[in-house]
Amino acid sequence: MTTPNSATSNSATPNPATATATATTTSAPASASASARRAVLRSETRLFLREPAALFWILVFPTALMTILGLIPSFRDHDDALGGRRVIDLYVPVAVLLAMIMSGLQAMPPVLTGYRERGILRRMSTTPVRPSALLTAQIALHGAAALGSAALAMAVGRVAFGVELPGQPVGYVLALLLSTATVLTLGALLCALSRTTKASAGIGSAVNVLMMFTAGVWIPVQSMPDTLRNIVRFTPFGAASEALDRAVSGSWPGLTQLGVMVLWTALVTFLATRLFRWE
């Protein structure tokens, strides 16, 4: 005979089999989602590696341009106007920023815009793989490519032209990561504003020219006239250029430069999130 107290005790005691089944049911969708995201990343990596033009502009072009400039004899001479440094010393950080521009503003937006234009993102929204997985994969791939190109430019600058490695490596990495985040969010915003691949390419070309100028591709930021430099330093790549330059010289990047990059990243992320459409 079962007493009331024992019945209450039995009903309150969890069934191990039921608890295990519930945990398995809960973890199954999460595991499937993670597996699907990894599959998307692998697929996008294979497609990315099959694009020689994108690989050239991201990985080869910045270092090649820096190497060509480094072969100019006057660029290897120490200049008192630059604090005893050489022009090639200034162009290694420029090559680093150029790699980011090529990756985030030239290579990534047409890919995402093309996916949306062909309805791929809309079709993905009806499957267990959400479109955000594709966006995340593209950002991860282009970010990794930009950082790899930056490492290549620094290595070639050091080996071929004797350019000193950053005297403040932690500050340099921080500025590098912030500038990478900034350019990728700018690329996402560019995709959000472009309805077609052609529009993305056109807008991207105009933005590329502006960003390359502020990064110092034509005139290093340190060599710009004071008025122009004071304006450029409040742009994302002008601030990044100065932050990297300070880290190279052994100083911690200024709070102003880091703050400008953080504010640009936050603002552009907000706009891209509000304006981006999957279809």
Side-chain angles (χ1 to χ4, degrees):
M1 180 176 180
T2 303
T3 65
N5 288 340
S6 64
T8 303
S9 175
N10 289 339
S11 64
T13 303
N15 189 330
T18 304
T20 303
T22 302
T24 303
T25 304
T26 303
S27 62
S31 176
S33 177
S35 177
R37 286 179 177 274
R38 288 194 295 270
V40 170
L41 180 59
R42 288 194 297 268
S43 176
E44 291 303 304
T45 300
R46 287 194 296 268
L47 293 174
F48 181 71
L49 295 177
R50 293 174 185 171
E51 292 292 337
L55 293 175
F56 170 80
W57 288 111
I58 298 172
L59 298 174
V60 179
F61 176 68
T63 300
L65 177 62
M66 180 196 69
T67 302
I68 293 172
L69 295 175
L71 295 176
I72 301 174
S74 61
F75 278 26
R76 301 194 301 271
D77 295 335
H78 294 275
D79 190 342
D80 292 337
L82 298 176
R85 292 183 295 176
R86 306 169 300 168
V87 175
I88 189 60
D89 295 328
L90 304 180
Y91 265 102
V92 172
V94 170
V96 168
L97 295 178
L98 181 58
M100 297 178 185
I101 293 171
M102 292 293 104
S103 180
L105 296 180
Q106 177 165 307
M108 186 178 76
V111 175
L112 292 175
T113 306
Y115 282 160
R116 184 176 58 198
E117 189 176 8
R118 297 195 300 271
I120 294 175
L121 298 181
R122 177 177 53 81
R123 290 195 296 272
M124 286 184 67
S125 63
T126 63
T127 69
V129 184
R130 306 301 298 172
S132 59
L134 189 59
L135 179 61
T136 302
Q138 285 293 324
I139 289 176
L141 285 172
H142 286 87
L147 293 174
S149 183
L152 177 63
M154 293 172 63
V156 172
R158 175 60 179 167
V159 173
F161 305 109
V163 177
E164 294 292 333
L165 294 176
Q168 174 52 263
V170 176
Y172 194 92
V173 170
L174 176 61
L176 192 63
L177 293 177
L178 277 177
S179 53
T180 303
T182 303
V183 75
L184 292 174
T185 55
L186 282 170
L189 178 59
L190 181 59
C191 178
L193 296 175
S194 305
R195 290 184 173 273
T196 64
T197 304
K198 289 184 178 180
S200 175
I203 298 174
S205 296
V207 174
N208 280 347
V209 173
L210 177 61
M211 293 300 143
M212 284 191 287
F213 176 78
T214 59
V217 173
W218 289 285
I219 306 174
V221 176
Q222 296 77 8
S223 301
M224 291 180 178
D226 291 341
T227 302
L228 180 59
R229 183 178 177 180
N230 289 333
I231 296 173
V232 167
R233 65 177 30 161
F234 289 103
T235 65
F237 290 104
S241 178
E242 290 200 332
L244 293 175
D245 184 62
R246 286 176 61 90
V248 167
S249 63
S251 302
W252 186 262
L255 292 179
T256 300
Q257 290 90 37
L258 296 178
V260 167
M261 287 190 286
V262 169
L263 287 176
W264 272 103
T265 302
L267 175 62
V268 175
T269 299
F270 173 76
L271 292 175
T273 303
R274 293 294 300 270
L275 298 175
F276 194 88
R277 298 291 182 269
W278 299 116
E279 56 181 301

